[in-house]
Amino acid sequence: MKRFHSKRKLLIFLVVIPSLVAAECTCDEEDQERDKSKALRYKIAALISILVASAIGVCIPLLGKVIPALSPEKNIFFIIKAFAAGVILATGFIHILPDAFENLTSPCLNKYPWDAFPFTGFVAMCTAMGTLMVETYATAYFKKHHHSQVQTTYVEKEESGDVHLHTHATHGHAHGHLPSHDHQSSALLRHRVISQVLELGIIVHSIIIGISMGASESPKTIRPLVAALTFHQFFEGMGLGSCIIQANFQRLSITIMGLFFALTTPVGIGIGIGITNVYDENSPTALIVEGIFNAASAGILIYMALVDLLAADFMNPRMQKSGSLRLGANLSLLLGAGCMSLLAKWA
């Protein structure tokens, strides 16, 4: 009899436990203490807070034209940019990429093909390589276009007699010198491409996270996001502003890029508020779209942070010659990445 009861208990254990485990993987909307009116107040507070923080963050590096201490020629610029790059790097690795994995491996999706292949890593990898290709071709195109303009200007000046000729006795001929700032022009074009691609990656992520936040009806979920996203947008703005100031855009272009960055997340929150009643974050379509865009954004930000922001600055001759600047930049990088990683619990 005891043997029969023990077998019975074992059978119940084998049947019940798997069902409990399976019950954890559900697509039903969880009860998250929903309160529409209270959630709306938090959303409005988040919209204003993020808008102000984004605007201040992106404007601080741009003040380098007015405040000499913030100029790209100063060492403090490298320190600030390293911190911002650490924030962007942690955003890609710690915040966006895990969210993309969670979306594309959700039990709400069909197992095939989403469980059959690691689409998240694949999309992030392809986007990183695509970013490299876009930078390469865009830089080459603008460099070629700029060089042809320089040659045309040179020929026009030569025909009008404005070019001074220098005779070299060893060669026995005279020739004019093209402008010596070709290297500076190439660097400027590269900075312009970098700033535009970086803003694209940030905007994609910001729209998605804004819509997700705006569509949520849980004050418990939204409240910690207000502080986390404000911090996140502030330092992302500093990183983007640093690239924009190095690109030396015209005032109108600087204003447009700054406004786009500052308004993206608030606009996303506004869209989320508008579609609250029809948006289902657990629907297959929402999960797939959000997962793919998050993975793409992560690939762009990780590539930009490592290659265009950190590698470029850490290999800079000024950084290589100054031990104190290297130490400060490394500590600033670790601090930025560490602070943003700690916020992963809330963001």
Side-chain angles (χ1 to χ4, degrees), residues 34-51 209-226 229-230 265-277 279:
R34 300 179 188 279
D35 185 337
K36 286 188 177 182
S37 60
K38 191 174 181 180
L40 182 60
R41 290 198 298 270
Y42 281 127
K43 292 174 192 177
I44 294 173
L47 192 151
I48 296 171
S49 174
I50 291 171
L51 177 61
I209 200 168
I211 292 174
S212 299
M213 185 179 188
S216 176
E217 296 178 356
S218 171
K220 187 177 179 181
T221 301
I222 298 171
R223 186 170 57 246
L225 279 174
V226 177
L229 291 180
T230 300
T265 304
V267 167
I269 294 173
I271 294 172
I273 293 173
I275 63 173
T276 300
N277 295 326
Y279 180 78

Side-chain angles (χ1 to χ4, degrees), residues 117-347:
F117 187 79
F119 281 97
T120 305
F122 179 74
V123 171
M125 177 187 71
C126 289
T127 309
M129 292 190 297
T131 305
L132 170 65
M133 294 174 188
V134 168
E135 281 193 8
T136 302
Y137 284 104
T139 304
Y141 171 78
F142 286 122
K143 186 176 180 180
K144 183 179 180 181
H145 181 68
H146 174 76
H147 185 68
S148 64
Q149 282 186 331
V150 170
Q151 284 187 321
T152 302
T153 303
Y154 171 74
V155 170
E156 290 175 353
K157 287 184 177 181
E158 188 178 37
E159 290 175 351
S160 63
D162 291 337
V163 177
H164 297 286
L165 300 179
H166 302 275
T167 303
H168 294 266
T170 54
H171 293 85
H173 66 275
H175 64 86
H177 292 282
L178 287 172
S180 60
H181 58 274
D182 277 354
H183 179 71
Q184 294 178 349
S185 299
S186 299
L188 188 64
L189 290 171
R190 176 167 170 76
H191 283 306
R192 291 185 174 182
V193 173
I194 288 171
S195 60
Q196 290 168 342
V197 175
L198 178 60
E199 179 156 27
L200 174 64
I202 292 173
I203 283 176
V204 169
H205 167 59
S206 296
I207 281 284
I208 292 172
I209 200 168
I211 292 174
S212 299
M213 185 179 188
S216 176
E217 296 178 356
S218 171
K220 187 177 179 181
T221 301
I222 298 171
R223 186 170 57 246
L225 279 174
V226 177
L229 291 180
T230 300
F231 175 89
H232 170 276
Q233 290 295 112
F234 177 77
F235 285 104
E236 264 195 353
M238 289 184 66
L240 178 62
S242 300
C243 293
I244 292 174
I245 194 65
Q246 287 183 303
N248 198 23
F249 283 109
Q250 297 294 326
R251 186 172 297 176
L252 179 61
S253 299
I254 292 174
T255 303
I256 292 173
M257 292 183 73
L259 282 175
F260 257 100
F261 169 76
L263 293 173
T264 302
T265 304
V267 167
I269 294 173
I271 294 172
I273 293 173
I275 63 173
T276 300
N277 295 326
V278 296
Y279 180 78
D280 179 13
E281 62 181 7
N282 290 321
S283 69
T285 302
L287 289 168
I288 292 170
V289 171
E290 189 174 335
I292 289 176
F293 275 97
N294 271 335
S297 179
I300 293 174
L301 294 185
I302 290 169
Y303 170 85
M304 298 296 295
L306 289 173
V307 177
D308 291 329
L309 300 181
L310 293 173
D313 282 353
F314 278 59
M315 294 298 116
N316 189 290
R318 184 187 300 178
M319 182 86 73
Q320 294 292 310
K321 292 176 182 178
S322 174
S324 59
L325 181 57
R326 283 198 305 273
L327 177 62
N330 278 287
L331 291 176
S332 183
L333 167 64
L334 294 173
L335 184 61
C339 289
M340 202 62 211
S341 298
L342 290 175
L343 286 174
K345 179 179 178 182
W346 299 283

